[in-house]
Amino acid sequence: MSDKVAVDLVELRYGGHQLSGWHVESSDTFKVGFRRMAEAAETGWVGASAKALSEKLDALQASARAVTTRLGENANGFVHAASTYDVQDTAAGATLGSADAAEPPLASAQDDHPPLNL
């Protein structure tokens, strides 16, 4: 296992934007498709058949909404993760690179909580 972590922030953001595009495309595609199916179902379907078809369309629409919602959430998550990593990495780099970085104080006998001997 490597001791180094490599994160390509450009690729992470790009992946998020790709997911966002797929979210929009799939939402639009589902919307158009379900509208066409509903229009087709209005003509020629009656009684129990019409009710069954309507219930199935409702279930399919709920599933489609769940999928597209997850795509949107994941897209936002990728972009947010890249931004958060960038901010934290920059702050950590500044701290590590700082000549003024203070040494942590060593515990003395007067401290209430001396260090553990592990």
Side-chain angles (χ1 to χ4, degrees):
M1 186 164 119
S2 174
D3 291 342
K4 296 181 181 183
V5 174
V7 176
D8 187 337
L9 298 178
V10 172
E11 287 294 323
L12 192 56
R13 285 186 179 102
Y14 178 72
H17 291 294
Q18 270 190 311
L19 284 174
S20 180
W22 295 339
H23 169 238
V24 170
E25 280 182 42
S26 62
S27 295
D28 291 345
T29 300
F30 282 131
K31 189 182 299 182
V32 169
F34 286 125
R35 187 181 68 242
R36 287 181 182 165
M37 288 170 58
E39 289 169 356
E42 288 175 1
T43 59
W45 291 81
V46 294
S49 296
K51 183 179 178 195
L53 182 60
S54 176
E55 289 171 357
K56 189 52 80 175
L57 280 174
D58 290 344
L60 287 171
Q61 285 176 322
S63 294
R65 274 192 302 276
V67 168
T68 56
T69 297
R70 283 195 309 267
L71 273 173
E73 289 169 351
N74 287 333
N76 291 335
F78 274 44
V79 174
H80 179 72
S83 297
T84 300
Y85 182 90
D86 192 20
V87 168
Q88 291 176 352
D89 189 52
T90 300
T95 300
L96 291 173
S98 171
D100 299 328
E103 292 279 331
L106 297 175
S108 67
Q110 294 85 12
D111 288 341
D112 290 337
H113 305 287
L116 297 174
N117 289 326
L118 300 177

